[in-house]
Amino acid sequence: MVNTVLNTITADAFKTVADRIEAGESGADVARELYTKHKRAVFNGNGYDEAWPEEAGKRGIWRIDSGVDAIQVLTSDKNIKLFGEQNIFTEPELAARQEVLLDHYTGTVEMEALTMIDMIKQHVIPSVKESGVGPLAELEATLPVLESAVAAIHAAETAEEKGALARVLRLETMIDIRDTCDAAEAVVPAEHWTLATYGDLLFMDMYPNPHDAF
């Protein structure tokens, strides 16, 4: 879908230029005017650098920082007009894709959250209890938070509402809980930690028992 969106935007821009040139305008004049109007969007630095979104904001460039938020505007009037004029998608087709994308995202986040719950219950908390060190109370407190978040997604009535809740769960709640789990891993002795460490994963194909490598 990302490539479809980018290609549609590009095609629309080329059509704008072609229509003006075919109407008699000079190609150089059209290019000059469009560059002058939109040059604030031209950026030749590192587009992945965290400083770029901040710079884009200073330049007055509208942006969407969340995939879920981007999916939510797929059926905006502007986008319905764009895809319709380019004969790519009709309004019902855009609505269908929006719902499918949101459902896919929500389902993926739900599986991740349920996996995290299982890992905490079956591995992290037992490891902390066995070793006698680590943030046991904090870990136990994460479970109702995760479970209630998943329940809230199930209770939401629309795909848009479910997607918004899933975004918070994945990018905020689960990130914070991951920090708690990392804090436990940092202090629990290796012999009590039942989950694979990064060292295990990196060297598991080299040693029958990965712990022998360290």
Side-chain angles (χ1 to χ4, degrees):
M1 190 65 188
V2 172
N3 288 335
T4 301
V5 172
L6 293 175
N7 289 335
T8 303
I9 293 170
T10 302
D12 185 68
F14 275 120
K15 181 179 183 301
T16 298
V17 173
D19 287 348
R20 292 178 60 177
I21 292 175
E22 290 173 2
E25 293 186 61
S26 162
D29 290 341
V30 173
R32 186 180 302 108
E33 179 190 331
L34 290 174
Y35 177 76
T36 300
K37 182 179 180 180
H38 300 292
K39 64 181 180 180
R40 63 180 177 174
V42 176
F43 180 71
N44 295 316
N46 180 5
Y48 294 98
D49 191 285
E50 293 182 358
W52 166 233
E54 182 178 349
E55 174 62 25
K58 292 178 181 178
R59 296 186 186 188
I61 299 174
W62 182 70
R63 72 180 199 271
I64 302 177
D65 294 329
S66 161
V68 171
D69 293 339
I71 296 170
Q72 302 275 24
V73 299
L74 189 58
T75 53
S76 67
D77 292 340
K78 174 178 68 69
N79 291 327
I80 291 172
K81 180 175 181 291
L82 169 67
F83 286 104
E85 289 180 347
Q86 293 299 321
N87 295 316
I88 305 298
F89 295 127
T90 63
E91 183 175 351
E93 289 172 336
L94 282 172
R97 281 160 176 77
Q98 181 183 62
E99 184 170 358
V100 168
L101 288 169
L102 288 171
D103 285 347
H104 180 269
Y105 179 85
T106 301
T108 300
V109 173
E110 179 181 1
M111 286 188 288
E112 292 174 349
L114 294 175
T115 299
M116 176 175 263
I117 291 171
D118 285 346
M119 292 174 71
I120 293 173
K121 284 182 176 180
Q122 299 172 17
H123 294 277
V124 183
I125 287 178
S127 294
V128 168
K129 288 182 176 180
E130 177 70 18
S131 65
V133 295
L136 178 58
E138 290 87 343
L139 287 167
E140 291 176 335
T142 66
L143 296 174
V145 172
L146 288 169
E147 290 165 348
S148 63
V150 172
I153 292 174
H154 289 171
E157 296 184 355
T158 67
E160 290 80 9
E161 293 171 342
K162 291 177 184 290
L165 291 170
R167 179 197 175 279
V168 173
L169 174 56
R170 173 188 255 179
L171 299 181
E172 298 178 27
T173 306
M174 291 176 67
I175 293 295
D176 292 340
I177 292 175
R178 165 68 186 272
D179 289 340
T180 304
C181 294
D182 286 346
E185 183 178 2
V187 296
V188 172
E191 61 268 23
H192 296 303
W193 191 256
T194 58
L195 291 170
T197 65
Y198 284 117
D200 295 336
L201 296 173
L202 287 170
F203 298 102
M204 66 189 305
D205 61 336
M206 298 174 61
Y207 298 89
N209 181 0
H211 291 293
D212 293 343
F214 307 98

